[in-house]
Structures are given as structure tokens and as C-alpha cells.
Amino acid sequence: MTIPPLVRGWCPDMFAPMEARDGFLVRIRSPLGGFEGPQVLAIADLARRFGNGVVELTNRGNVQLRGFSSTSAKLALESALAEGLVDPDPAKERRRAILVSPLAGLDPACNPETLDVAQSLQTALLEENALSALSGKFGWAVDGGGYVPEGALSADIALQSRPDGWSVVCGAMETGVLDNAAAVRAVVVISRVCAENSDLGRPSRDTATAAFVFAKAGLEGIPCKRQGTRPVSLIGPLPGQVMGVGLPFGRCHVKDFEVLAERTGTASLRVTPWRSVLLPQQDGTWPGFITSSVDPLLRVEACIGRSGCAKATADVVETALALASDVPPGCVLHVSGCIKGCAHPRAADMTLVADNGHYEVVRNGCTTDTPSWHDRDIPQIRTLLRHELKETQV
């Protein structure tokens, strides 16, 4: 089994590892209904045997493993294929990038057809070989609403639940209400147009793309209000007799991930886009995990920093830990080791970009926006947080 060369800017997976300071990293896409207990154990085994034991949750609801060599990455791929964690076809594996409402099938208020529609969409996408031309970052969502409200999931093309069916949302445009089959067909047609026009920006990033795509697809589109993507609290007891458990900064060691596997048992473990997992509700303590929805660590996003990334210039996790208690409830602080902003590629109430010992500070923006303050140290940033940010309703 050979691993193709890295293409920068594409999302890594088991077939295409991405090189980082601490070795190669890989991602395993979540099944639509979550990982079964044995699959969680299999992932832990990959991290322990072939990587450096670090397990991360991504903002696409997937699992990322770190610290592989080029040789161990190949061995891990063989093991993942044997365990059924990935599709044997690398192109089809990339088209499994479907984000589903984390509580689908569990929350009575979520559209009861969400998982069925997601399965129909996945089947249709896997049959469309022409979609292999899409960027590896291109993604879809099936958004059934309920406890996790419509619009909370971020994707290039999303199916959003409506009272009498589904609307297809692409960038700043959406269709009228369609039935299940018509909605899935519309997603495929729009995806095909995006694949055939590779010079287009991704709909989630380029507002001009949607109108062109709808016209080319022969679909009537209407302007839609751009949805917010602020983190949703999925920590503690939740609808459907499940509980949400958070990982600080979406990261843990394999021994802790094995605890999640044991407590999942024969049920399923779902990874959310907000650095938490859902598993059967149960009693007991959770040392090292976040179990309170008001934990200050939930207000802070941070990448792995210079311990794992060659671009980073600071140990941003230490900075995030130091500042978490200064972030008011309802606000988000993003601490990034470099301008890429991998941990939180959207706007935050305040964003810090490391710059060789100090930070550039962006208010209400992301890492690529013009800084509001330059060359600030941690005491100065703490003062800014207290003066600039106010508690908001979430």
C-alpha cells in the first residue's frame, strides 16, 4: 500500500498523512451514526502502536492522530483498512466528509429522518466519481435541527431541516423546501457543478460562488441569512439518554481515549464539531475530561502550538490555560500559534496570533484579519479581555 505525496491545503486522512513537527498526522472520518465501541478501541490501538499517543477531535467531527513516521503511517493504514475504519478507495474516503447533527436519532426534536437522509446522501456521493475533483476540504452537512439548532453545522453544502422537508443551503443561497429524494439530488447536482468549475471558491468561503452554482445547476435559489457557527454546548446530560464529555482543547492521551472506549461499551461514541464526544449517560467521575457546560476551558480554542507544528512560534496551550478564566461566559478566545488558525478557522470574539513571544490581537475576527492591537504580552491581553469582552447569552 503506497501513500500519495502530501498536497498542502488538503485535509489529511489515512491515505494522505500530513507532516508536522511531531511527525505525520492522520484523520479518521466518523461514521454517520458514530463509532462503535470496538472501533474506538481500534483507533486507540492505532495511536498507541503507530503514533505518539495523542488523540485529537477536529472541528469537522473527526478523530486526528499524531506522531507517525512514514513507515508507521503505512502500517496504521493497513490496520485501519482491516478494522473497517476507512473506505478502501481513497477517493471515496474523501467523499465521506459528511457532518451530521450529533444528536440525530436521539433528540426527539431533531428531524427523525436525519440519519436516513444522511445515508442516502452518502450513498449518492460515493457513486459520483466526478466529485473526486473537489478540494479535500470540501464538506457536506445534514442538519436536522432540534437541541442543536439549524445552522450550527458548518459546511460547503448543507441539507437543513424544514417543517415539510429540507432546504439545500450553499453559501449565501438556498433552495425552497424539497422532499428527501429531491434534496439529495440537488446536493449532488450542486456538488457536480463545483467539481466541474475548479476555479470557483468554496461556497462556505466565497459568497459569490453560490449564485453561479445555482444558475449552472438549473436550480432556483433564494438568498438565505448566513448562519452563525458559534460553539454549541454539548456537555453534560443531553436529550436521548446520552451525555457529552469534553476534551480540553479537543486533545487527550490514548489512555484517556481508551477510557471513553470502555465507557461506550457496545453502544456508539459520536464526535461533535465542538471538541466533545457523546456516549451513553452514566454515573461516575471523569478525571481529565470536561463535564460542566460552564467550564472556562470551553471558552478557549487553541492549536497544538510549537510542540507539534513547525509554523507555530509559541506554546499556545499554556497561554490558553492561563487566560481561560478571564474569558467571560458566552465569548470565545482563539489562541493560534500562527496565522493559519487551524483550531478555529472562523471569527472569534478575540483572536491571538503568536509572534515570537508576543501576540497580535484581533477583535471580532480571525487570524487573517487586521490586528486591533500589536505586540501584546499575557498581562496586557488579560487586561484587554476584561475591558473588551462582556458576558453574552448563549
mmCIF file of all heavy atoms in Angstrom, residues 84-118:
data_model
loop_
_atom_site.group_PDB
_atom_site.id
_atom_site.type_symbol
_atom_site.label_atom_id
_atom_site.label_comp_id
_atom_site.label_asym_id
_atom_site.label_seq_id
_atom_site.Cartn_x
_atom_site.Cartn_y
_atom_site.Cartn_z
ATOM 1 N N GLY A 84 -11.917 -1.791 9.134
ATOM 2 C CA GLY A 84 -13.064 -1.155 8.510
ATOM 3 C C GLY A 84 -13.268 0.288 8.923
ATOM 4 O O GLY A 84 -14.376 0.819 8.826
ATOM 5 N N LEU A 85 -12.192 0.960 9.344
ATOM 6 C CA LEU A 85 -12.286 2.356 9.764
ATOM 7 C C LEU A 85 -12.282 3.320 8.586
ATOM 8 O O LEU A 85 -12.683 4.478 8.738
ATOM 9 C CB LEU A 85 -11.124 2.710 10.703
ATOM 10 C CG LEU A 85 -11.130 2.010 12.065
ATOM 11 C CD1 LEU A 85 -9.833 2.301 12.802
ATOM 12 C CD2 LEU A 85 -12.323 2.469 12.889
ATOM 13 N N VAL A 86 -11.812 2.865 7.427
ATOM 14 C CA VAL A 86 -11.753 3.717 6.239
ATOM 15 C C VAL A 86 -12.250 2.935 5.034
ATOM 16 O O VAL A 86 -12.249 1.701 5.024
ATOM 17 C CB VAL A 86 -10.310 4.229 5.971
ATOM 18 C CG1 VAL A 86 -9.825 5.112 7.107
ATOM 19 C CG2 VAL A 86 -9.349 3.064 5.743
ATOM 20 N N ASP A 87 -12.671 3.663 4.008
ATOM 21 C CA ASP A 87 -13.078 3.044 2.753
ATOM 22 C C ASP A 87 -11.816 2.633 1.983
ATOM 23 O O ASP A 87 -10.850 3.398 1.932
ATOM 24 C CB ASP A 87 -13.893 4.036 1.921
ATOM 25 C CG ASP A 87 -14.588 3.367 0.747
ATOM 26 O OD1 ASP A 87 -13.883 2.917 -0.199
ATOM 27 O OD2 ASP A 87 -15.829 3.307 0.742
ATOM 28 N N PRO A 88 -11.786 1.452 1.389
ATOM 29 C CA PRO A 88 -10.591 1.029 0.657
ATOM 30 C C PRO A 88 -10.235 1.929 -0.521
ATOM 31 O O PRO A 88 -9.077 1.940 -0.966
ATOM 32 C CB PRO A 88 -10.953 -0.384 0.169
ATOM 33 C CG PRO A 88 -12.041 -0.845 1.082
ATOM 34 C CD PRO A 88 -12.810 0.390 1.439
ATOM 35 N N ASP A 89 -11.206 2.666 -1.039
ATOM 36 C CA ASP A 89 -10.965 3.565 -2.168
ATOM 37 C C ASP A 89 -10.640 4.959 -1.623
ATOM 38 O O ASP A 89 -11.505 5.600 -1.013
ATOM 39 C CB ASP A 89 -12.213 3.624 -3.049
ATOM 40 C CG ASP A 89 -12.024 4.476 -4.301
ATOM 41 O OD1 ASP A 89 -11.191 5.407 -4.281
ATOM 42 O OD2 ASP A 89 -12.728 4.232 -5.298
ATOM 43 N N PRO A 90 -9.409 5.472 -1.822
ATOM 44 C CA PRO A 90 -9.046 6.783 -1.264
ATOM 45 C C PRO A 90 -9.978 7.914 -1.708
ATOM 46 O O PRO A 90 -10.292 8.804 -0.912
ATOM 47 C CB PRO A 90 -7.621 7.013 -1.791
ATOM 48 C CG PRO A 90 -7.091 5.642 -2.071
ATOM 49 C CD PRO A 90 -8.276 4.846 -2.530
ATOM 50 N N ALA A 91 -10.436 7.875 -2.961
ATOM 51 C CA ALA A 91 -11.312 8.929 -3.455
ATOM 52 C C ALA A 91 -12.673 8.875 -2.756
ATOM 53 O O ALA A 91 -13.253 9.912 -2.399
ATOM 54 C CB ALA A 91 -11.485 8.812 -4.965
ATOM 55 N N LYS A 92 -13.196 7.683 -2.565
ATOM 56 C CA LYS A 92 -14.473 7.548 -1.857
ATOM 57 C C LYS A 92 -14.321 7.946 -0.390
ATOM 58 O O LYS A 92 -15.234 8.529 0.195
ATOM 59 C CB LYS A 92 -14.996 6.114 -1.977
ATOM 60 C CG LYS A 92 -15.513 5.765 -3.367
ATOM 61 C CD LYS A 92 -16.142 4.381 -3.386
ATOM 62 C CE LYS A 92 -16.752 4.081 -4.752
ATOM 63 N NZ LYS A 92 -17.384 2.737 -4.778
ATOM 64 N N GLU A 93 -13.188 7.622 0.182
ATOM 65 C CA GLU A 93 -12.960 8.003 1.571
ATOM 66 C C GLU A 93 -13.067 9.516 1.743
ATOM 67 O O GLU A 93 -13.640 10.005 2.725
ATOM 68 C CB GLU A 93 -11.575 7.514 2.026
ATOM 69 C CG GLU A 93 -11.161 7.944 3.417
ATOM 70 C CD GLU A 93 -12.054 7.397 4.515
ATOM 71 O OE1 GLU A 93 -12.790 6.410 4.287
ATOM 72 O OE2 GLU A 93 -12.028 7.976 5.620
ATOM 73 N N ARG A 94 -12.551 10.292 0.795
ATOM 74 C CA ARG A 94 -12.649 11.751 0.878
ATOM 75 C C ARG A 94 -14.094 12.221 0.763
ATOM 76 O O ARG A 94 -14.462 13.246 1.336
ATOM 77 C CB ARG A 94 -11.792 12.412 -0.209
ATOM 78 C CG ARG A 94 -10.292 12.315 0.041
ATOM 79 C CD ARG A 94 -9.536 13.296 -0.840
ATOM 80 N NE ARG A 94 -9.725 13.038 -2.264
ATOM 81 C CZ ARG A 94 -9.015 12.185 -2.982
ATOM 82 N NH1 ARG A 94 -8.047 11.470 -2.405
ATOM 83 N NH2 ARG A 94 -9.245 12.024 -4.280
ATOM 84 N N ARG A 95 -14.920 11.472 0.029
ATOM 85 C CA ARG A 95 -16.315 11.879 -0.145
ATOM 86 C C ARG A 95 -17.199 11.465 1.028
ATOM 87 O O ARG A 95 -18.413 11.682 0.993
ATOM 88 C CB ARG A 95 -16.869 11.322 -1.466
ATOM 89 C CG ARG A 95 -16.121 11.835 -2.695
ATOM 90 C CD ARG A 95 -16.955 11.739 -3.950
ATOM 91 N NE ARG A 95 -17.243 10.400 -4.385
ATOM 92 C CZ ARG A 95 -16.419 9.616 -5.100
ATOM 93 N NH1 ARG A 95 -15.209 10.058 -5.423
ATOM 94 N NH2 ARG A 95 -16.785 8.406 -5.477
ATOM 95 N N ARG A 96 -16.598 10.904 2.055
ATOM 96 C CA ARG A 96 -17.333 10.597 3.286
ATOM 97 C C ARG A 96 -17.340 11.784 4.246
ATOM 98 O O ARG A 96 -17.702 11.648 5.416
ATOM 99 C CB ARG A 96 -16.715 9.385 3.985
ATOM 100 C CG ARG A 96 -16.951 8.039 3.269
ATOM 101 C CD ARG A 96 -16.307 6.901 4.046
ATOM 102 N NE ARG A 96 -16.804 6.879 5.416
ATOM 103 C CZ ARG A 96 -16.027 6.883 6.490
ATOM 104 N NH1 ARG A 96 -14.711 6.948 6.383
ATOM 105 N NH2 ARG A 96 -16.548 6.856 7.695
ATOM 106 N N ALA A 97 -16.988 12.950 3.744
ATOM 107 C CA ALA A 97 -16.877 14.144 4.597
ATOM 108 C C ALA A 97 -18.249 14.767 4.854
ATOM 109 O O ALA A 97 -18.533 15.893 4.451
ATOM 110 C CB ALA A 97 -15.940 15.160 3.948
ATOM 111 N N ILE A 98 -19.116 14.018 5.506
ATOM 112 C CA ILE A 98 -20.478 14.476 5.804
ATOM 113 C C ILE A 98 -20.619 14.660 7.306
ATOM 114 O O ILE A 98 -20.409 13.728 8.087
ATOM 115 C CB ILE A 98 -21.531 13.474 5.306
ATOM 116 C CG1 ILE A 98 -21.401 13.264 3.799
ATOM 117 C CG2 ILE A 98 -22.932 13.963 5.655
ATOM 118 C CD1 ILE A 98 -22.343 12.203 3.255
ATOM 119 N N LEU A 99 -20.981 15.861 7.698
ATOM 120 C CA LEU A 99 -21.221 16.178 9.097
ATOM 121 C C LEU A 99 -22.718 16.037 9.363
ATOM 122 O O LEU A 99 -23.540 16.585 8.620
ATOM 123 C CB LEU A 99 -20.761 17.610 9.363
ATOM 124 C CG LEU A 99 -20.650 18.107 10.794
ATOM 125 C CD1 LEU A 99 -19.710 17.224 11.605
ATOM 126 C CD2 LEU A 99 -20.157 19.546 10.801
ATOM 127 N N VAL A 100 -23.072 15.302 10.412
ATOM 128 C CA VAL A 100 -24.476 15.050 10.734
ATOM 129 C C VAL A 100 -24.780 15.602 12.121
ATOM 130 O O VAL A 100 -23.923 15.576 13.019
ATOM 131 C CB VAL A 100 -24.777 13.533 10.700
ATOM 132 C CG1 VAL A 100 -26.256 13.264 10.965
ATOM 133 C CG2 VAL A 100 -24.367 12.937 9.368
ATOM 134 N N SER A 101 -25.990 16.094 12.302
ATOM 135 C CA SER A 101 -26.395 16.570 13.629
ATOM 136 C C SER A 101 -25.996 15.538 14.683
ATOM 137 O O SER A 101 -26.406 14.370 14.588
ATOM 138 C CB SER A 101 -27.905 16.792 13.680
ATOM 139 O OG SER A 101 -28.300 17.804 12.781
ATOM 140 N N PRO A 102 -25.184 15.928 15.674
ATOM 141 C CA PRO A 102 -24.653 14.946 16.633
ATOM 142 C C PRO A 102 -25.715 14.162 17.390
ATOM 143 O O PRO A 102 -25.474 13.028 17.798
ATOM 144 C CB PRO A 102 -23.825 15.807 17.596
ATOM 145 C CG PRO A 102 -23.463 17.024 16.812
ATOM 146 C CD PRO A 102 -24.634 17.278 15.912
ATOM 147 N N LEU A 103 -26.908 14.747 17.573
ATOM 148 C CA LEU A 103 -27.969 14.080 18.327
ATOM 149 C C LEU A 103 -29.028 13.444 17.426
ATOM 150 O O LEU A 103 -30.105 13.081 17.901
ATOM 151 C CB LEU A 103 -28.628 15.065 19.287
ATOM 152 C CG LEU A 103 -27.762 15.499 20.477
ATOM 153 C CD1 LEU A 103 -28.393 16.669 21.212
ATOM 154 C CD2 LEU A 103 -27.540 14.330 21.439
ATOM 155 N N ALA A 104 -28.721 13.300 16.143
ATOM 156 C CA ALA A 104 -29.681 12.681 15.212
ATOM 157 C C ALA A 104 -30.036 11.276 15.685
ATOM 158 O O ALA A 104 -29.170 10.475 16.028
ATOM 159 C CB ALA A 104 -29.075 12.626 13.809
ATOM 160 N N GLY A 105 -31.344 10.992 15.698
ATOM 161 C CA GLY A 105 -31.810 9.688 16.148
ATOM 162 C C GLY A 105 -31.921 9.556 17.649
ATOM 163 O O GLY A 105 -32.409 8.534 18.150
ATOM 164 N N LEU A 106 -31.467 10.566 18.384
ATOM 165 C CA LEU A 106 -31.505 10.547 19.846
ATOM 166 C C LEU A 106 -32.396 11.655 20.392
ATOM 167 O O LEU A 106 -33.180 11.440 21.308
ATOM 168 C CB LEU A 106 -30.085 10.703 20.417
ATOM 169 C CG LEU A 106 -29.060 9.661 19.981
ATOM 170 C CD1 LEU A 106 -27.662 10.081 20.424
ATOM 171 C CD2 LEU A 106 -29.415 8.297 20.566
ATOM 172 N N ASP A 107 -32.272 12.835 19.829
ATOM 173 C CA ASP A 107 -33.040 14.003 20.259
ATOM 174 C C ASP A 107 -34.419 13.984 19.600
ATOM 175 O O ASP A 107 -34.522 14.032 18.376
ATOM 176 C CB ASP A 107 -32.264 15.261 19.859
ATOM 177 C CG ASP A 107 -33.041 16.544 20.107
ATOM 178 O OD1 ASP A 107 -34.037 16.518 20.853
ATOM 179 O OD2 ASP A 107 -32.627 17.585 19.545
ATOM 180 N N PRO A 108 -35.502 13.911 20.378
ATOM 181 C CA PRO A 108 -36.843 13.885 19.784
ATOM 182 C C PRO A 108 -37.152 15.116 18.939
ATOM 183 O O PRO A 108 -37.999 15.057 18.043
ATOM 184 C CB PRO A 108 -37.769 13.819 21.009
ATOM 185 C CG PRO A 108 -36.928 13.315 22.125
ATOM 186 C CD PRO A 108 -35.548 13.816 21.851
ATOM 187 N N ALA A 109 -36.475 16.231 19.210
ATOM 188 C CA ALA A 109 -36.735 17.464 18.459
ATOM 189 C C ALA A 109 -35.949 17.535 17.159
ATOM 190 O O ALA A 109 -36.203 18.416 16.331
ATOM 191 C CB ALA A 109 -36.405 18.682 19.327
ATOM 192 N N CYS A 110 -35.008 16.631 16.959
ATOM 193 C CA CYS A 110 -34.253 16.589 15.702
ATOM 194 C C CYS A 110 -35.072 15.827 14.669
ATOM 195 O O CYS A 110 -35.746 14.831 14.985
ATOM 196 C CB CYS A 110 -32.908 15.898 15.941
ATOM 197 S SG CYS A 110 -31.826 15.796 14.491
ATOM 198 N N ASN A 111 -35.044 16.293 13.422
ATOM 199 C CA ASN A 111 -35.806 15.631 12.363
ATOM 200 C C ASN A 111 -35.533 14.119 12.391
ATOM 201 O O ASN A 111 -34.387 13.690 12.264
ATOM 202 C CB ASN A 111 -35.391 16.213 11.007
ATOM 203 C CG ASN A 111 -36.276 15.742 9.866
ATOM 204 O OD1 ASN A 111 -36.676 14.584 9.797
ATOM 205 N ND2 ASN A 111 -36.578 16.648 8.946
ATOM 206 N N PRO A 112 -36.568 13.289 12.581
ATOM 207 C CA PRO A 112 -36.356 11.842 12.722
ATOM 208 C C PRO A 112 -35.778 11.180 11.479
ATOM 209 O O PRO A 112 -35.317 10.031 11.549
ATOM 210 C CB PRO A 112 -37.755 11.306 13.048
ATOM 211 C CG PRO A 112 -38.690 12.342 12.520
ATOM 212 C CD PRO A 112 -37.996 13.649 12.690
ATOM 213 N N GLU A 113 -35.810 11.870 10.347
ATOM 214 C CA GLU A 113 -35.271 11.286 9.116
ATOM 215 C C GLU A 113 -33.824 11.691 8.848
ATOM 216 O O GLU A 113 -33.272 11.358 7.798
ATOM 217 C CB GLU A 113 -36.141 11.700 7.936
ATOM 218 C CG GLU A 113 -37.565 11.159 8.014
ATOM 219 C CD GLU A 113 -38.385 11.523 6.793
ATOM 220 O OE1 GLU A 113 -38.601 12.726 6.563
ATOM 221 O OE2 GLU A 113 -38.782 10.590 6.064
ATOM 222 N N THR A 114 -33.192 12.379 9.791
ATOM 223 C CA THR A 114 -31.860 12.930 9.558
ATOM 224 C C THR A 114 -30.839 11.855 9.175
ATOM 225 O O THR A 114 -30.107 11.994 8.187
ATOM 226 C CB THR A 114 -31.375 13.706 10.803
ATOM 227 O OG1 THR A 114 -32.269 14.782 11.071
ATOM 228 C CG2 THR A 114 -29.980 14.258 10.584
ATOM 229 N N LEU A 115 -30.770 10.785 9.940
ATOM 230 C CA LEU A 115 -29.775 9.749 9.649
ATOM 231 C C LEU A 115 -30.078 9.044 8.329
ATOM 232 O O LEU A 115 -29.155 8.718 7.568
ATOM 233 C CB LEU A 115 -29.707 8.737 10.790
ATOM 234 C CG LEU A 115 -28.969 9.204 12.056
ATOM 235 C CD1 LEU A 115 -29.080 8.156 13.152
ATOM 236 C CD2 LEU A 115 -27.499 9.482 11.749
ATOM 237 N N ASP A 116 -31.351 8.805 8.038
ATOM 238 C CA ASP A 116 -31.715 8.165 6.763
ATOM 239 C C ASP A 116 -31.328 9.052 5.582
ATOM 240 O O ASP A 116 -30.801 8.563 4.573
ATOM 241 C CB ASP A 116 -33.212 7.871 6.719
ATOM 242 C CG ASP A 116 -33.620 6.748 7.658
ATOM 243 O OD1 ASP A 116 -32.741 5.949 8.035
ATOM 244 O OD2 ASP A 116 -34.806 6.677 8.015
ATOM 245 N N VAL A 117 -31.592 10.347 5.705
ATOM 246 C CA VAL A 117 -31.235 11.271 4.628
ATOM 247 C C VAL A 117 -29.709 11.336 4.482
ATOM 248 O O VAL A 117 -29.180 11.364 3.368
ATOM 249 C CB VAL A 117 -31.831 12.666 4.902
ATOM 250 C CG1 VAL A 117 -31.254 13.703 3.933
ATOM 251 C CG2 VAL A 117 -33.340 12.624 4.775
ATOM 252 N N ALA A 118 -29.005 11.345 5.618
ATOM 253 C CA ALA A 118 -27.541 11.369 5.565
ATOM 254 C C ALA A 118 -26.995 10.126 4.872
ATOM 255 O O ALA A 118 -26.050 10.201 4.079
ATOM 256 C CB ALA A 118 -26.961 11.488 6.973
#
